[in-house]
Amino acid sequence: MAVGRYQKWLESENLVLLEGWKRNGLTDKQIAENMGISVNTLNKWKQRFVQIRQALKIGHESANYAVERKLFQKAMNGNTTAMIFWLKNNWRDKYNDSELSPEERKLAKAKSRKTNAEADIAEYKAKVLEESGSSGVELLNEYLDKLDALSDKEVKEDGTKADV
C-alpha cells in the first residue's frame, strides 16, 4: 500500500464519488481501476477505513432501493412479470415454485441442517484423530453421542423444538 495514497479517498468529495460509482453499478474491480489501485488494495482499504466501506455500502444500498422502487411501480402499474417477481421474493410462504407444503419445506430444511451438522462432526472427528490419536476421538465420540441424543429429544419431526 502506497503511503498516504488512501488519504485523498477519505476526503468527502472523493467518498461521494465512490458512493456514486457503486450506486451506478460499478464493480469493486472497476472502482479500483478508477481509483488507480488494485482490487486487493481496495479490499484492504475497505477493511481498514470505515469511511470507504460506508461510502460503497451506501452507494450499493441506494441502487437497490432505486431498483426496488421502480420494480414496485411497475408491479403497481400492471406489469405481470414485475408482480410475479415481487410476490415470489416478498411473499415466499404463499408464492413460490416449490411443490412442497410449508411444513414439508420446514422438514426438508431441518434435515438439511442435520446433514450439514453430521458432516461437520465427521470432519471434526477426523481432525481430532489426526491431532490427538484414538483416545481423543473416543472421548469426542462419547460427548457427541450424548449431544446427538439430547438434540434428538429436543427437535420434533417438523424441525421445531419439543417441550422438554
Side-chain angles (χ1 to χ4, degrees), residues 64-123:
N64 284 347
Y65 288 130
V67 170
E68 181 183 41
R69 184 177 65 248
K70 288 287 187 184
L71 173 67
F72 185 75
Q73 288 170 349
K74 284 185 176 272
M76 296 306 290
N77 288 330
N79 182 312
T80 307
T81 305
M83 288 177 186
I84 292 168
F85 187 82
W86 181 267
L87 290 171
K88 282 185 177 184
N89 284 285
N90 290 287
W91 202 348
R92 290 186 181 157
D93 289 343
K94 189 171 181 180
Y95 298 97
N96 64 62
D97 292 333
S98 175
E99 294 181 15
L100 299 176
S101 70
E103 293 79 20
E104 291 170 322
R105 280 196 302 278
K106 283 182 184 176
L107 182 58
K109 286 180 184 178
K111 285 180 181 177
S112 175
R113 283 193 302 271
K114 183 177 181 182
T115 302
N116 289 339
E118 288 170 349
D120 290 343
I121 289 168
E123 185 179 328

